[in-house]
Amino acid sequence: DICCGSEVCKERKDEAPVLQEDACIESNLCSYPHYLIPDTNVIDILEDPLIRNVIILQTVLQEVRHRSAPAYKRIKDAIHEKEKHFYTFTNEHHRETFIEREPGESANDRNDRAIRVAAKWYADHLAKKTNGGSLKVVLLTDDRANKEKAEQYGLIVYRCEEYIKSLIGNPELVDRLALQPDDQNEITGSKLLFPEHLPLSRIQSGIKNGVLLQGTFHANRDNYLEGTVFINREGEDINEVLLQGLQNLNRAVHQDVVAVELFPKERWVAPSSVVLQDDSPNDEDSEEDETENKRVVKSENVLKPTGRVVGIIKRNWRPYCGMLSQSMIKEATRHLFTPADRRIPRIRIETRQAANLAGQRIMVAIDGWPKNSRYPNGHFVKNLGTAGDKDTETEVLLLEHDVPHLPFSPAVLSFLPKMPWSITEEDLKVRADLRHLGVCSVDPPGCTDIDDALHCRELENGNLEVGVHIADVSHFIRPGNALDQEAASRGTTVYLCGKRIDMVPELLSSNLCSLRSNVERLAFSCIWEMNHNAEIIKTHFTKSVINSKASLTYAEAQMRIDDTTMNDDITKSLRGLNRLAKILKGRRTEKGALTLSSPEVRFHMDSETHDPIDLQTKELKETNSMVEEFMLLANISVAQKIYDEFSECALLRKHPSPPPSNYDILIKAAKSRDLNIHIDSAKALADSLNNATVENFPYFNTLLRILATLCMMQAVYFCSGMDSDFHHYGLASPIYTHFTSPIRRASVAFHTQLFFKNKGIINEEGFILFVRKNAIIILIPKFGMEGAVFFDNKDKPSPHLIFDSEIPGVSVPVPESEPEAKKPKLDC
């Protein structure tokens, strides 16, 4: 009883058809109306607006999901676009299209056969419904064997390339075709540039025998000839391996899972101090860069385990955003694409629309990387818009950080509560009624998604009651429904400058689950009884109903605390919270909690254009710290509670202590001013940073704390039953989780550079963070801006330095008196 999804089929009245009866597209091959059935390898062309009326088989969708999460997400997005008329047919659950895997048949061959069976069923089914009419089904596959068997089956089948080339008046679609292995060999030379990768059987044997190591490859953002493989297996003596030079990188791409061979100790080297970006105008090896990289390495003395990639275990390629570097050969169709992420190598693509793509942000996918090719080969996916345009660059940021940002689908919205909504008597029966308490929220200005609130009051026994109240989103989301799945996919709310990508629809995030003042809201509360020394006497957790008495900004809350004439209940609550927070922070600091630093700026936006018109360094008040302390305390209390109740499956978060070598940059910087940094423990580090001051240089301590931040490891989520080390290094806490909602921020750097777009020359104080052989890394605190400043000439350092912008297309403007300059210059 599974519907075919076509308008020609009148059997199902309860499901609206998706596929149009008049499915026409101008084609030299298929002059009749037809539906397309693509196999697993035909994905990128499906996103083009021209391609409509496509049947996505369940088999294909499952294979795509298994092979590539980003590709699966893109195809799901296309399915949700109503105007494209994509229909998902669950062929694995239809009695006439489900097939069993035959003895000796591979999973891949079984899936190919399932696709052919489903295509044949559709062809026969539509023929019946149209009395042998002209509506057909066309199977698209780039698998030669699958195509031959489909033809024997009597199906209409074409290779993707021949079908796309048959479309009338749409030559740009050809650029979206993935390169096949034969095509890739045609556009690369015969000279072998890289060693052959080992077959998977030899890799598995080598890892088992301890001859090879398996790990995840991380490319160096500042040096394209260098990378590190982080070893995945516990118990290994070596947890990371340094790779240097193109041959040893051997076609690994950032985030690939690779097999590495460790060199003998006499071949171990130190990380390079050269900043190298692959900006050669052609495909030639940059021998000068290789030589410079090696020459500098020999001058260093901190040796690292070093090796080479001998095989690829799993590619983790995704579509990449960036810009086209046009070939200098006129009428050329082969060009290099430069990704926005400097950790990704340049990609060679074929396109006939290079002139139209100049100055545009585009998306490109990798098809393969032959051993005789300097760069991976790929193909054009889509044009994102003009480089430097705010909307385009925001889209690039979201895509590069894999942030789901399409509007919520009708299926998701259908699970929202019907308005008007109110708290019922049934709700009150199962929740603590805390509406009488002096609860308030403290947030940044303009915040509409208020997800936490606090209160503090004195009890009759002289102790204090303190509560953290978190919006109870779970009340509105049932497990497993479309709303739950979408929220799980998004994971967090993402904040951009002047824009927010919600985890849940706005009705929840900014209304029903926003703890706004003077409205009743559902919450989940963590409540402590404390003495006046902030020592916890008892803790309890409850679902609750609250009515916030005030929605304050940090500045407003601070003003209340400081104004001695104000003595209302909310102000008294804030003063109590602030006093306790200072005690809690002091206690954490005594245990070794780190106070680190990163430059943060706040923008003032034009009310009409929403462009940044001014920016300033964020000023943190006592109330910022007050809220932070109680959010941390709630997270620690909840972490202990869920671990006590669910010892094997509590979702916790830990922060590993960094290896000693991570602190090299910090120790070296401190020694430049005759200061010592001790790293034996978090407490020793915290004390060292507190004592690291330089007379007449107050910002030096902040610089050290910024460097200390760079030394830290990434905090990670984990399941309590799968690990024994729960410690959070940065917070000096034995256990931690995220009961309060985590968020992500992504777009400050772009808006900072957008601010400079029409500003002329600005003189501002900057500090050198690192010195490299051919560059310095500088920080401009006022703008929270960090970047590489290259010497004009590698051999003769010049007082004029080139500032390298993170965002191509947006940079500090060049004065008209220097028309020959390609990039803006700073005098230092």
Side-chain angles (χ1 to χ4, degrees):
D1 63 348
I2 295 172
C3 180
C4 70
S6 173
E7 286 181 342
V8 303
C9 186
K10 311 299 182 187
E11 292 178 3
R12 292 287 297 272
K13 303 291 185 185
D14 58 332
E15 190 173 325
V18 175
L19 301 164
Q20 296 171 298
E21 183 173 356
D22 183 23
C24 291
I25 184 171
E26 290 188 280
S27 164
N28 293 326
L29 281 177
C30 310
S31 57
Y32 38 80
H34 58 278
Y35 300 150
L36 294 175
I37 297 184
D39 78 357
T40 311
N41 298 311
V42 181
I43 296 298
D44 290 321
I45 63 156
L46 300 181
E47 295 178 292
D48 193 277
L50 182 73
I51 305 299
R52 301 184 178 198
N53 291 293
V54 177
I55 299 164
I56 304 293
L57 298 179
Q58 180 188 3
T59 305
V60 171
L61 204 56
Q62 288 172 343
E63 274 201 311
V64 172
R65 185 176 192 173
H66 177 71
R67 292 184 185 185
S68 168
Y72 175 76
K73 177 177 166 294
R74 285 160 52 211
I75 201 169
K76 287 288 283 184
D77 290 345
I79 290 168
H80 288 142
E81 290 183 44
K82 279 189 174 181
E83 63 275 11
K84 288 185 70 65
H85 300 280
F86 277 33
Y87 180 68
T88 305
F89 179 63
T90 50
N91 61 301
E92 298 288 357
H93 297 283
H94 192 288
R95 70 182 178 197
E96 294 187 47
T97 57
F98 171 77
I99 61 167
E100 296 279 4
R101 184 172 167 184
E102 295 177 347
E105 186 177 39
S106 70
N108 188 60
D109 287 345
R110 181 264 171 204
N111 288 343
D112 284 347
R113 186 161 60 87
I115 292 169
R116 295 193 298 271
V117 167
K120 182 74 167 94
W121 178 84
Y122 254 104
D124 295 343
H125 177 74
L126 293 174
K128 288 179 190 173
K129 298 300 175 186
T130 58
N131 296 317
S134 59
L135 184 59
K136 309 288 184 186
V137 169
V138 175
L139 176 62
L140 297 182
T141 179
D142 284 330
D143 185 306
R144 189 175 300 169
N146 194 23
K147 182 174 184 290
E148 290 173 356
K149 289 176 181 176
E151 288 169 338
Q152 294 167 9
Y153 220 47
L155 294 170
I156 302 171
V157 57
Y158 295 109
R159 286 190 306 114
C160 187
E161 181 178 7
E162 60 183 328
Y163 177 80
I164 293 301
K165 286 184 174 177
S166 79
L167 299 181
I168 299 168
N170 290 280
E172 69 280 357
L173 246 181
V174 178
D175 290 348
R176 290 191 168 208
L177 294 172
L179 286 173
Q180 299 305 305
D182 291 345
D183 300 326
Q184 293 193 44
N185 290 330
E186 284 179 19
I187 65 173
T188 56
S190 57
K191 177 185 174 185
L192 291 182
L193 301 178
F194 297 99
E196 187 87 61
H197 285 149
L198 296 179
L200 195 57
S201 58
R202 283 189 59 188
I203 289 173
Q204 291 169 338
S205 173
I207 292 170
K208 186 177 180 181
N209 298 331
V211 176
L212 303 177
L213 298 172
Q214 175 178 326
T216 304
F217 173 69
H218 285 235
N220 187 329
R221 189 188 300 274
D222 296 319
N223 187 338
Y224 76 98
L225 295 176
E226 193 168 272
T228 303
V229 174
F230 291 93
I231 307 306
N232 300 338
R233 199 162 71 181
E234 288 187 17
E236 291 286 353
D237 294 333
I238 293 171
N239 53 26
E240 58 183 74
V241 178
L242 179 68
L243 310 176
Q244 287 189 337
L246 290 173
Q247 294 272 314
N248 294 331
L249 296 174
N250 197 8
R251 295 170 283 160
V253 176
H254 184 65
Q255 294 288 6
D256 283 349
V257 180
V258 301
V260 292
E261 176 186 62
L262 195 64
F263 290 155
K265 283 193 175 181
E266 56 268 22
R267 291 183 62 188
W268 290 9
V269 297
S272 171
S273 61
V274 174
V275 178
L276 289 177
Q277 294 179 16
D278 186 4
D279 52 8
S280 54
N282 50 42
D283 288 5
E284 295 175 5
D285 291 333
S286 183
E287 293 181 7
E288 182 185 347
D289 282 354
E290 290 264 15
T291 304
E292 178 74 2
N293 199 50
K294 291 176 182 175
R295 183 173 67 81
V296 175
V297 166
K298 291 178 182 177
S299 70
E300 301 281 352
N301 54 19
V302 184
L303 302 182
K304 301 270 189 184
T306 310
R308 67 187 182 106
V309 171
V310 295
I312 306 294
I313 296 170
K314 183 186 178 188
R315 290 289 194 190
N316 277 319
W317 295 340
R318 58 175 175 83
Y320 302 103
C321 303
M323 297 182 72
L324 195 69
S325 303
Q326 265 187 280
S327 170
M328 292 184 290
I329 302 171
K330 198 175 181 182
E331 307 301 328
T333 59
R334 294 170 189 162
H335 307 271
L336 285 176
F337 163 82
T338 302
D341 187 341
R342 294 205 304 265
R343 296 170 298 187
I344 306 301
R346 294 202 286 176
I347 303 165
R348 187 192 293 106
I349 69 169
E350 279 206 65
T351 178
R352 293 147 191 83
Q353 47 179 333
N356 296 331
L357 297 178
Q360 300 289 297
R361 286 288 201 177
I362 64 172
M363 184 182 277
V364 161
I366 297 178
D367 298 320
W369 196 342
K371 60 191 174 186
N372 54 350
S373 174
R374 170 66 177 80
Y375 296 106
N377 296 322
H379 64 276
F380 169 79
V381 175
K382 65 178 175 182
N383 187 350
L384 300 171
T386 304
D389 174 77
K390 187 171 63 177
D391 291 339
T392 301
E393 297 298 345
T394 299
E395 178 76 0
V396 168
L397 277 169
L398 295 171
L399 290 169
E400 282 293 293
H401 290 88
D402 196 24
V403 176
H405 58 284
L406 286 179
F408 290 100
S409 70
V412 169
L413 298 175
S414 70
F415 287 98
L416 290 174
K418 301 296 182 283
M419 297 299 286
W421 174 89
S422 62
I423 294 170
T424 66
E425 287 298 319
E426 290 301 312
D427 293 327
L428 289 169
K429 286 179 184 177
V430 294
R431 290 175 176 268
D433 188 349
L434 307 180
R435 291 175 292 180
H436 62 287
L437 294 179
V439 173
C440 69
S441 61
V442 184
D443 291 283
C447 179
T448 60
D449 56 332
I450 302 171
D451 52 14
D452 55 74
L454 308 104
H455 87 272
C456 175
R457 64 170 179 162
E458 190 157 345
L459 299 174
E460 290 181 359
N461 62 8
N463 288 331
L464 299 171
E465 179 187 86
V466 177
V468 166
H469 313 275
I470 305 298
D472 188 4
V473 187
S474 66
H475 177 85
F476 299 95
I477 303 180
R478 297 296 89 198
N481 68 20
L483 177 55
D484 181 41
Q485 291 174 358
E486 182 65 24
S489 169
R490 296 186 178 216
T492 68
T493 294
V494 178
Y495 288 84
L496 307 172
C497 297
K499 183 177 181 179
R500 188 179 77 225
I501 311 296
D502 283 323
M503 182 179 75
V504 294
E506 190 175 23
L507 176 63
L508 296 182
S509 65
S510 293
N511 188 350
L512 303 184
C513 295
S514 181
L515 306 181
R516 301 185 299 190
S517 56
N518 303 313
V519 290
E520 295 179 356
R521 288 291 178 256
L522 303 180
F524 206 117
S525 301
C526 174
I527 300 174
W528 304 275
E529 182 179 337
M530 294 182 175
N531 61 26
H532 286 262
N533 198 33
E535 293 167 335
I536 298 173
I537 296 164
K538 62 181 178 182
T539 307
H540 78 278
F541 307 90
T542 181
K543 289 193 171 187
S544 60
V545 180
I546 67 168
N547 189 323
S548 172
K549 303 303 184 287
S551 300
L552 306 173
T553 66
Y554 290 113
E556 289 168 344
Q558 190 67 53
M559 183 189 70
R560 280 175 174 256
I561 291 170
D562 296 339
D563 188 346
T564 55
T565 65
M566 296 188 72
N567 286 294
D568 57 278
D569 288 345
I570 293 299
T571 302
K572 288 178 182 177
S573 176
L574 287 169
R575 286 184 186 135
L577 290 166
N578 195 42
R579 188 183 67 79
L580 292 171
K582 289 177 181 178
I583 299 172
L584 290 169
K585 185 171 185 177
R587 198 170 290 151
R588 283 197 311 110
T589 303
E590 277 299 308
K591 291 179 181 177
L594 297 174
T595 303
L596 302 178
S597 182
S598 59
E600 288 192 76
V601 296
R602 181 179 300 284
F603 296 94
H604 296 285
M605 300 291 197
D606 185 289
S607 58
E608 293 184 5
T609 66
H610 300 289
D611 287 337
I613 54 177
D614 191 18
L615 79 168
Q616 61 191 52
T617 306
K618 278 187 181 177
E619 181 188 352
L620 296 180
K621 302 181 183 298
E622 283 185 358
T623 45
N624 290 84
S625 179
M626 177 190 78
V627 172
E628 180 185 19
E629 286 304 316
F630 283 106
M631 294 305 115
L632 293 176
L633 187 62
N635 287 341
I636 292 167
S637 297
V638 170
Q640 190 62 56
K641 177 67 173 177
I642 62 174
Y643 177 61
D644 291 342
E645 298 291 335
F646 314 108
S647 60
E648 292 299 309
C649 57
L651 176 65
L652 302 176
R653 186 165 174 83
K654 69 174 181 176
H655 182 212
S657 57
S661 60
N662 276 32
Y663 291 113
D664 291 347
I665 56 171
L666 177 63
I667 292 169
K668 191 174 180 181
K671 279 187 176 176
S672 71
R673 295 295 176 124
D674 298 322
L675 295 169
N676 292 318
I677 298 292
H678 301 287
I679 58 170
D680 307 355
S681 65
K683 179 74 168 71
L685 175 61
D687 290 343
S688 297
L689 289 172
N690 290 338
N691 296 327
T693 58
V694 175
E695 194 175 347
N696 300 323
F697 191 176
Y699 198 72
F700 183 76
N701 187 264
T702 303
L703 286 173
L704 286 185
R705 292 182 190 275
I706 290 171
L707 288 179
T709 304
L710 300 177
C711 300
M712 294 297 114
M713 303 290 283
Q714 177 67 48
V716 292
Y717 294 106
F718 69 101
C719 177
S720 58
M722 299 176 69
D723 207 330
S724 56
D725 178 16
F726 296 0
H727 188 71
H728 196 293
Y729 179 80
L731 297 175
S733 176
I735 194 167
Y736 194 68
T737 193
H738 270 147
F739 170 58
T740 59
S741 62
I743 59 172
R744 294 172 69 187
R745 300 184 181 92
S747 67
V748 172
F750 167 65
H751 276 76
T752 302
Q753 294 178 20
L754 197 62
F755 168 75
F756 285 114
K757 201 168 185 180
N758 300 304
K759 289 292 184 294
I761 295 177
I762 297 174
N763 292 318
E764 194 54 56
E765 186 176 44
F767 296 96
I768 297 174
L769 286 178
F770 306 104
V771 178
R772 299 286 186 247
K773 177 70 178 177
N774 61 335
I776 56 175
I777 313 299
I778 65 167
L779 170 73
I780 305 175
K782 179 177 178 180
F783 304 131
M785 202 173 191
E786 182 186 320
V789 182
F790 291 91
F791 297 115
D792 277 348
N793 186 306
K794 287 182 181 177
D795 299 320
K796 296 180 180 178
S798 161
H800 287 285
L801 303 171
I802 302 172
F803 183 80
D804 175 52
S805 168
E806 282 284 333
I807 309 288
V810 182
S811 56
V812 189
V814 182
E816 290 185 9
S817 58
E818 297 179 319
E820 77 288 349
K822 291 183 180 176
K823 291 186 178 178
K825 296 186 176 181
L826 302 174
D827 285 321
C828 292

